[in-house]
């Protein structure tokens, strides 16, 4: 799986959560550092952005729908 992710351009770490954390903390230098790490590993930013969107979608659902955690 790790090799397949590398071939497809997935980053080795969960950069989406790291980026969301840095963004929530308004830490611009951390955002830049993580972005540089993604680029150095040959990761495709598209996949990281898709993961970020998935996380944000789940957050929105959990914040707006009562008992949404039962649906996930």
């Amino acid at each position: 799986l790790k090799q397949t992710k590398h071939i497809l351009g997935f980053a080795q770490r969960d950069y989406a959560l790291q980026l969301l954390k840095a963004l929530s903390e308004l830490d611009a230098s951390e955002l830049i550092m993580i972005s540089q790490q993604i680029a150095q590993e040959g990761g495709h930013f598209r996949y990281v952005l898709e993961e970020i969107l998935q996380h944000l979608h789940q957050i929105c659902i959990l914040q707006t729908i009562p008992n949404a955690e039962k649906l996930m």
Side-chain angles (χ1 to χ4, degrees):
L1 182 64
K2 184 177 178 181
Q3 189 176 26
T4 303
K5 284 185 174 185
H6 181 69
I7 291 169
L8 295 174
F10 284 92
Q12 299 301 320
R13 303 180 201 168
D14 191 357
Y15 286 119
L17 290 176
Q18 292 178 34
L19 286 167
L20 285 170
K21 182 177 185 287
L23 185 61
S24 72
E25 295 172 351
L26 304 175
D27 190 344
S29 62
E30 182 71 8
L31 287 166
I32 292 170
M33 186 184 75
I34 295 167
S35 297
Q36 289 173 338
Q37 288 176 350
I38 295 168
Q40 287 174 356
E41 287 186 7
H44 295 282
F45 288 95
R46 176 181 164 205
Y47 298 118
V48 177
L49 290 173
E50 287 177 4
E51 286 185 45
I52 289 172
L53 286 174
Q54 289 173 1
H55 288 302
L56 291 175
H57 182 253
Q58 289 177 350
I59 290 169
C60 288
I61 290 171
L62 290 171
Q63 289 179 341
T64 57
I65 300 175
N67 300 317
E69 64 275 354
K70 293 179 184 177
L71 301 173
M72 303 184 130

